[in-house]
Amino acid sequence: MPTIVFIEPDGQQREIAANVGQSVMEVAVQHGVRGIDADCGGACSCATCHGYIDAAWQERIAPADDVEVDMLGFAYLREETSRLTCQIIVTDSMDGLLIRLPSSQA
Ligand code: FES
């Protein structure tokens, strides 16, 4: 099981063993990670699940598709490294993936 590392808005680090095939958003929500709202439940239509992907991982995960890129335009406190966590599906190669969460999603 790959471990996903979340940095919550207050700086607390959470390391969570994730199931392959889940979205990163689902991992966060199921474990009560603070900083992700996920209002649309993963339908890529709210942008309240966004997080900042650590620079070391930018090239190691699949890039955002056009739908995600469009929705990222609505993300609050968006940065260059922002991704929608509901659109990132956990794979075995993501062990140690580091995601920092914004202070607010709206
Ligand atoms: Fe709504 Fe990700 S949960 S866009």
Side-chain angles (χ1 to χ4, degrees), residues 2 7 19 70 92 95:
I7 308 295
N19 292 316
D70 286 349
D92 280 322
D95 189 44

Side-chain angles (χ1 to χ4, degrees), residues 36-84:
I36 288 183
D37 293 344
D39 291 337
C40 76
C44 199
S45 59
C46 74
T48 64
C49 66
H50 105 273
Y52 311 116
I53 307 301
D54 184 71
W57 285 90
Q58 289 291 323
E59 306 297 324
R60 298 168 66 182
I61 59 175
D65 63 17
D66 291 345
V67 175
E68 181 183 348
V69 169
D70 286 349
M71 190 50 57
L72 272 167
F74 296 95
Y76 186 66
L77 301 175
R78 181 184 181 183
E79 296 181 3
E80 204 169 302
T81 60
S82 290
R83 289 288 306 270
L84 298 181

Side-chain angles (χ1 to χ4, degrees), residues 5-57:
V5 182
F6 296 92
I7 308 295
E8 294 179 325
D10 65 357
Q12 183 173 334
Q13 182 168 312
R14 302 275 310 275
E15 298 184 10
I16 297 174
N19 292 316
V20 170
Q22 283 187 294
S23 73
V24 170
M25 176 278 283
E26 290 170 329
V27 175
V29 169
Q30 285 176 4
H31 291 85
V33 172
R34 289 168 293 141
I36 288 183
D37 293 344
D39 291 337
C40 76
C44 199
S45 59
C46 74
T48 64
C49 66
H50 105 273
Y52 311 116
I53 307 301
D54 184 71
W57 285 90

